[in-house]
Amino acid sequence: MPDAANFTIDPLIEPRPESASGDRTMVLNMGPQHPSTHGVLRLVLEIDGETVLRLVPDIGFLHTGIEKTCEAKFYQQVVPLTDRIDYLSPMSNNLCYCLAVEKLLELEIPPRAQYLRVLLNELTRIQSHLVWLGTHAMDIGALTVFLYTFREREEILKIFEHVSGQRMMGSYFRIGGLALEPPLDLFDRVRKLLDMMPERIDEYQNLLTGNPIWVNRLKGVGYLSAADAVAFGVTGPPLRASGVDWDLRRDMPYSGYEKFQFKVPVSQDGDVWARYQLRMEEMRESVKICRQALEGMPSGPIKADAPKIVLPDREKMKTEMESLIHHFKIVTEGFAVPAGQVYQAIESPRGEMGYFVVSDGTSKPYRVHMRNPTFASLQALETMCAGRLLADVVAVIGSIDIVLGEIDR
Amino acid sequence: MESAQDKDSVLAAHAENRAVAALMARHPQAIAGAGFAHRELTLWIARQAIREVCRTLRSAGYNFLADVTCVDRYPVEPRLQVTYHLLSHSLKERLRLCVLLDTRDPAVDSITPVWPAANFYEREVWDLFGVRFDGHPNPRRIMLPEEWEGHPLRKDYPVEGYR
């Protein structure tokens, strides 16, 4: 073990100037139990009056060592763990991990499974943005919106429950496809939701966009330039709100996204208002993608043709010797994945989510690393807040849509 | 983990690649190895050259640092593989850089002067793998408490922790 002698333990911020003079700055602790830090984010701020001079995030309160846990599980057993990283977009995590392992295995995924994955991912995006909108508005004082957004979110969670049996931690994705054929009335339910959604998004915008308090709290706040956004590794809606036209779904398509037509909203303003407008537009685009997925939904299998990796059908398992053997082998021993390393990234609701999976040829991953969008975005927080008022920090945190589960892992 | 591929043949096959071209022109001796698998290009970089290589690659169009992490290849020496994932918005291409470090002196230059985004990632690698990043502006643990002993993502650290 290298000794830690070079690394001194110090308080995060010392107030300036050091001596007790009259114009000494104040160090303020915010969190980890602050309601607007969306979980357990601790910020240490140096303030001069109400102006923020410095801001240091202190994270790790939710660290559970998921990456270490993954190394002790079979490949398929990692999927439920990925649900719990970003608990607001479990399906995106599932997809990203499965795509990474499928890349190692060089598996071909049938089109129906791809379309269903896209459909569920876009519903996840809408659902995640609804939580963001509700909590963001609540942080700023618009309590009503929360009740409206959670009404629609509940509908989406009911669809997830219908599909996977769970509202949130569905673990519905399998390496090589999906767990089950979705229930017969799923598409009707999704269609009903999609018919209602544009109208509901208008409703949220009616509540907020014209509201002078909302406008004043958001416009011009938390400015982030395009160069800073790229330098700090910011991805997703905050990056696009700073004027960088980059969306992995369009620019480096995965899981069949190249077959879908959608716009990528971009704004040049780089402030909290731009991020708000952009996410609202993104929800409308997601509705369109879901519609296309329903219209073009191919028929066919939902699992890849790989009997040594994908669990056989229950009926076949009970009647055919071969399937029974495969089932027994997969459940007890897992399946070996050829040695190698891959990095697979997808556009999660918060930005670039990447899984780096290293295999040593056995049935357990040698290393799984998650690149999470808000972990990087958090580094830009000081740039966005320095020189602004203390109350704006709350608006800026809301606008980068942090989820501490994925930051701390 | 990755089967060793012939460096020269991989580099020759990807001579058109912007990253390979830029590095062959500026730092040909910095490339210690190369691999191409699953449509992903990996370059092994000599440890003292990583900051300059990153600077060159950034000006060659790889403008975005997506990720920095590490793999512990225990008991193989050099065991720590610091892994960088770069992305180019204009070329729509990814590139992986790897630097190998041994147990006696696991230290590498920090790339925070090139990409400020590396700050949190390098702290995480220090915290969980015990790799020191020379020139890092804030070399503290990030996930675990400051007084924690050991680096849990190393393979010789038991899953259930030391008892």
Side-chain angles (χ1 to χ4, degrees):
Chain A
M1 296 282 149
D3 70 305
N6 297 337
F7 301 90
T8 50
I9 300 168
D10 57 341
L12 293 171
I13 297 182
E14 288 285 352
R16 290 173 292 185
E18 301 298 324
S19 60
S21 66
D23 53 350
R24 205 163 177 246
T25 58
M26 182 179 158
V27 173
L28 182 75
N29 184 64
M30 183 175 172
Q33 290 94 1
H34 192 283
S36 74
T37 54
H38 296 241
V40 284
L41 172 66
R42 176 175 171 238
L43 298 172
V44 181
L45 302 122
E46 185 183 16
I47 50 175
D48 180 10
E50 283 233 35
T51 313
V52 177
L53 299 178
R54 286 178 66 203
L55 177 155
V56 179
D58 181 18
I59 59 175
F61 292 94
L62 268 183
H63 182 66
T64 49
I66 284 185
E67 291 182 8
K68 184 86 174 172
T69 315
C70 291
E71 293 171 9
K73 305 273 180 200
F74 291 137
Y75 277 92
Q76 185 56 54
Q77 290 174 325
V78 173
V79 172
L81 293 173
T82 65
D83 277 338
R84 284 149 181 83
I85 292 166
D86 179 353
Y87 40 79
L88 291 183
S89 58
M91 300 273 191
S92 309
N93 281 278
N94 283 184
L95 174 66
C96 192
Y97 172 73
C98 289
L99 286 176
V101 180
E102 283 156 9
K103 207 179 200 180
L104 271 172
L105 289 163
E106 288 172 357
L107 270 188
E108 191 77 37
I109 304 304
R112 184 177 172 82
Q114 288 193 356
Y115 267 66
L116 278 166
R117 285 173 168 195
V118 167
L119 175 69
L120 291 166
N121 261 271
E122 292 307 318
L123 286 175
T124 303
R125 191 180 313 276
I126 298 173
Q127 181 260 120
S128 172
H129 281 0
L130 287 174
V131 178
W132 156 77
L133 181 63
T135 53
H136 185 37
M138 195 155 68
D139 289 345
I140 290 177
L143 293 174
T144 322
V145 185
F146 183 80
L147 302 173
Y148 286 80
T149 59
F150 267 59
R151 179 185 60 190
E152 273 71 70
R153 176 178 186 252
E154 198 53 43
E155 287 306 310
I156 298 178
L157 291 184
K158 274 184 194 154
I159 289 173
F160 287 168
E161 185 178 12
H162 201 48
V163 173
S164 69
Q166 282 262 40
R167 290 167 74 248
M168 286 172 75
M169 311 299 169
S171 304
Y172 179 57
F173 289 39
R174 294 288 180 272
I175 292 160
L178 297 166
L180 300 160
E181 178 67 28
L184 289 174
D185 62 339
L186 170 77
F187 299 143
D188 287 334
R189 284 179 81 155
V190 176
R191 209 166 278 126
K192 236 169 93 185
L193 175 92
L194 295 179
D195 289 341
M196 164 182 93
M197 247 357 254
E199 210 177 289
R200 295 290 160 92
I201 297 170
D202 290 341
E203 196 177 349
Y204 315 140
Q205 284 194 307
N206 287 342
L207 281 168
L208 291 170
T209 308
N211 183 327
I213 303 174
W214 178 254
V215 177
N216 284 337
R217 287 294 307 271
L218 263 58
K219 269 212 169 135
V221 171
Y223 176 75
L224 185 69
S225 69
D228 279 346
V230 170
F232 282 118
V234 174
T235 47
L239 181 71
R240 291 191 282 277
S242 292
V244 181
D245 191 4
W246 180 256
D247 189 318
L248 287 169
R249 289 176 293 170
R250 181 198 60 195
D251 295 316
M252 297 176 100
Y254 50 87
S255 192
Y257 264 108
E258 65 276 1
K259 296 183 198 108
F260 293 85
Q261 261 80 49
F262 57 97
K263 281 195 296 245
V264 176
V266 178
S267 164
Q268 303 296 329
D269 300 340
D271 58 357
V272 178
W273 177 261
R275 288 168 216 144
Y276 156 68
Q277 292 283 39
L278 201 132
R279 286 205 179 90
M280 300 305 270
E281 280 313 304
E282 262 188 15
M283 280 201 264
R284 292 182 197 277
E285 292 303 318
S286 290
V287 171
K288 284 185 204 162
I289 299 175
C290 289
R291 281 235 169 82
Q292 293 173 35
L294 287 181
E295 277 159 25
M297 183 66 67
S299 53
I302 52 151
K303 290 171 185 170
D305 179 23
K308 295 202 166 147
I309 291 156
V310 181
L311 277 182
D313 282 338
R314 201 79 191 154
E315 273 315 302
K316 274 192 181 166
M317 189 267 279
K318 287 177 190 163
T319 50
E320 291 174 19
M321 188 59 160
E322 285 255 297
S323 298
L324 179 65
I325 294 170
H326 287 313
H327 185 276
F328 183 75
K329 295 276 266 188
I330 294 171
V331 171
T332 54
E333 298 173 0
F335 48 83
V337 172
Q341 46 184 357
V342 290
Y343 179 81
Q344 173 68 44
I346 67 161
E347 188 77 23
S348 93
R350 271 159 278 284
E352 175 178 329
M353 171 185 290
Y355 272 70
F356 175 53
V357 180
V358 181
S359 164
D360 58 352
T362 61
S363 57
K364 289 176 181 171
Y366 191 76
R367 168 104 175 93
V368 181
H369 172 75
M370 301 91 181
R371 184 258 187 235
N372 292 115
T374 47
F375 183 71
S377 304
L378 198 59
Q379 303 189 70
L381 193 61
E382 183 168 14
T383 309
M384 288 192 267
C385 294
R388 308 290 313 194
L389 294 181
L390 183 56
D392 290 345
V393 174
V394 172
V396 174
I397 295 175
S399 78
I400 58 174
D401 191 14
I402 54 169
V403 169
L404 268 297
E406 69 164 18
I407 291 174
D408 294 343
R409 276 162 281 144
Chain B
M1 300 304 108
E2 202 157 38
S3 54
Q5 282 171 294
D6 180 35
K7 169 188 155 190
D8 293 325
S9 65
V10 173
L11 289 181
H14 293 87
E16 301 282 296
N17 185 291
R18 282 273 282 276
V20 172
L23 288 183
M24 287 308 273
R26 297 280 302 278
H27 319 278
Q29 73 292 349
I31 306 178
F36 186 77
H38 308 290
R39 282 174 282 123
E40 293 181 5
L41 182 63
T42 310
L43 297 177
W44 273 269
I45 304 294
R47 124 181 173 181
Q48 64 282 0
I50 185 69
R51 194 182 287 167
E52 283 313 307
V53 164
C54 286
R55 211 163 260 146
T56 305
L57 289 175
R58 198 184 61 173
S59 37
Y62 290 81
N63 60 330
F64 192 88
L65 175 74
D67 189 26
V68 180
T69 185
C70 187
V71 181
D72 182 6
R73 319 192 304 169
Y74 179 80
V76 180
E77 285 287 351
R79 71 185 254 197
L80 294 160
Q81 175 198 313
V82 181
T83 311
Y84 305 81
H85 288 102
L86 311 187
L87 169 67
S88 166
H89 284 161
S90 51
L91 304 171
K92 301 186 181 178
E93 249 177 38
R94 286 182 192 280
L95 174 68
R96 176 164 43 238
L97 304 179
C98 297
V99 176
L100 293 176
L101 306 172
D102 58 18
T103 327
R104 270 170 295 121
D105 181 26
V108 66
D109 281 343
S110 166
I111 59 162
T112 43
V114 188
W115 281 291
N119 187 331
F120 273 21
Y121 290 112
E122 290 183 345
R123 282 176 68 189
E124 188 188 322
V125 174
W126 154 248
D127 191 359
L128 303 178
F129 285 95
V131 174
R132 279 180 290 115
F133 289 91
D134 296 331
H136 192 283
N138 183 20
R140 299 155 49 90
R141 284 189 183 265
I142 189 167
M143 299 295 181
L144 305 175
E146 205 60 34
E147 62 276 10
W148 194 270
E149 272 177 39
H151 301 284
L153 276 183
R154 287 192 171 194
K155 287 282 177 184
D156 49 3
Y157 189 101
V159 176
E160 65 273 20
Y162 294 125
R163 292 282 166 91

